[in-house]
Structure formats: C-alpha cells, structure tokens
Amino acid sequence: MALSTGSKRVKTAVFISGTGSNLKSLIKFSKLKKSPISIELIVSNNPKSKGLHFGKIFKIRKKIFNFKKQTITEKEILLYLKKRKINLICLAGFLKILSKNFIQNFDGKILNIHPSLLPKYKGLNTHKRAIINKDEHSGCTVHFVNSKLDSGKIINQKKVKINKSDTPQSLAKKVLAQEHKLYPKAILKIFSL
Ligand code: GRF
C-alpha cells in the first residue's frame, strides 16, 4: 500500500510501552505546518507507560490493549484503527513484537525507531553491545517494519560518536536526543518520495 497524503494529513497512531519521549517529539512535529501527519491515537500495551500522560497534555485519545492473548488483541486493535481511519503506525519504544498477520494488514505503513545503526544490534541492549564491542559509533535508525525483527527497509540513520567514558546510560541519552530529530525527518522523507 502506498503512502499518500493527498491534501489531508495522514491519521497516525503512535504505539508506546514506556517513557514516550519519541512520542512527544512526534506530537510536536505533527503540529508543524510542514507535517504530513496528524497524531490521532496513542496505543500502549502497558497501562503504566509514562508516555500516556502526553495524551492528556496534548488532548490525544489513548487506548490500552492487554496483550495476554495477542492474536485476539491484534484483531481488536486492527478493528479499532480501521474505525478511526488510522493510516500510519509509528512504533516508538513499543516492546511487543507484532505478528506477521498484523503487519500484513498495515503493509508498508508501520515505522519503527531503533537505537542502533541497523543492521547492527537488532533487539535489546544495543548500547551495551556497541560499547563491549568497542565500536567507534552507535546511532539510531528509522525503518519500515516487516515480519522480521528490526529488519525492514531502512529510511534514515544518524551516527553518534561513542566516547571512551561512555556508559550504556550516557550513550542512550545521546542517541535518544538524536532519535527525536531523526523520526520526524524519516516521516518527511517517506512522504516526499
Ligand atoms: C528508544 O531508544 C527507541 O529507539 C527504542 O525504545 C526507546 C524508547 O524511548 N525503540 P521513548 O519511550 O521514546 O523515550
């Protein structure tokens, strides 16, 4: 399915599980004149996600789904998204792995941000692994989501230098600051293609 804005902004849902700092940066971006998206919905699998409070601050609908029975939950989410005419999903620190079936239902319309220079360090603990391997750089990647974890087509990346004194925490902080710029840029890029 091709992404197209037409004259209207594309209705977007952001999926989170935690702090939601990328969610916040996406919301701020979505309010700019140049933004091709409007964020209509925040989805979380975790009622304790700190990021949910951005729903209240920015008056965006929130919806929590319990993933105990993932197949059923995903069907419910798909129905809900359809009802709300959501046409783009941005994963932003969403810790559940969506099924092939779910992804096929939103083919080419799910994006993710990952804290490494993919294809290096798929999965978790990316900063720790980069430091242990004495890499010179870490970074972040925005990519389309396909059915293989962190393996979809790359949209854009940003390198971040690793200093000798960096810990996984200090590196995560530096990379996160870049993530907040990279995700909006990725969205502008895919809609200008
Ligand atoms: C980010 O590092 C993102 O790349 C990863 O999870 C983290 C989420 O941070 N997928 P936040 O919840 O957006 O602050």
Side-chain angles (χ1 to χ4, degrees):
M1 272 188 284
L3 279 165
S4 143
T5 56
S7 55
K8 286 190 194 148
R9 294 186 183 218
V10 171
K11 291 185 192 297
T12 301
V14 182
F15 285 29
I16 63 166
S17 298
T19 318
S21 67
N22 277 292
L23 164 67
K24 186 182 174 196
S25 90
L26 287 175
I27 294 172
K28 289 195 159 176
F29 165 70
S30 74
K31 298 194 177 296
L32 302 178
K33 210 172 165 196
K34 66 178 177 184
S35 167
I37 63 163
S38 70
I39 297 176
E40 305 285 329
L41 179 66
I42 301 167
V43 168
S44 182
N45 62 310
N46 173 10
K48 291 189 177 141
S49 302
K50 281 196 189 152
L52 284 169
H53 77 278
F54 292 119
K56 201 166 185 189
I57 295 174
F58 292 100
K59 299 192 173 55
I60 297 171
R61 185 183 297 271
K62 299 171 286 186
K63 187 86 179 148
I64 294 154
F65 289 94
N66 171 340
F67 270 69
K68 274 188 189 144
K69 290 185 178 156
Q70 183 153 344
T71 315
I72 296 172
T73 304
E74 287 190 346
K75 281 192 184 140
E76 285 169 7
I77 299 177
L78 283 170
L79 266 176
Y80 194 81
L81 297 179
K82 204 169 172 193
K83 208 168 96 187
R84 306 236 150 248
K85 298 191 168 44
I86 298 293
N87 215 12
L88 178 70
I89 296 174
C90 293
L91 306 181
F94 184 64
L95 294 177
K96 290 283 170 191
I97 297 176
L98 295 165
S99 73
K100 203 170 170 178
N101 175 64
F102 185 96
I103 293 164
Q104 276 169 356
N105 268 279
F106 258 82
D107 195 19
K109 296 181 173 189
I110 309 179
L111 313 181
N112 182 39
I113 186 149
H114 183 76
S116 80
L117 295 171
L118 289 171
K120 263 193 159 179
Y121 309 129
K122 296 172 183 173
L124 297 174
N125 300 318
T126 55
H127 303 305
K128 191 175 167 191
R129 286 149 74 197
I131 289 174
I132 288 174
N133 286 341
K134 300 197 175 1
D135 289 356
E136 281 184 17
H137 292 95
S138 181
C140 43
T141 304
V142 180
H143 63 94
F144 287 104
V145 171
N146 67 11
S147 55
K148 281 193 192 154
L149 184 69
D150 300 329
S151 298
K153 189 167 182 267
I154 290 172
I155 301 164
N156 59 356
Q157 295 187 300
K158 176 75 183 173
K159 266 190 190 176
V160 173
K161 183 146 178 37
I162 303 179
N163 297 324
K164 287 226 165 71
S165 58
D166 268 323
T167 60
Q169 291 73 23
S170 67
L171 184 56
K173 209 172 159 189
K174 284 196 287 188
V175 172
L176 198 58
Q178 294 305 322
E179 290 182 32
H180 299 156
K181 298 181 196 164
L182 191 71
Y183 217 157
K185 279 188 190 161
I187 290 170
L188 283 174
K189 185 172 171 185
I190 60 172
F191 283 105
S192 68
L193 291 177

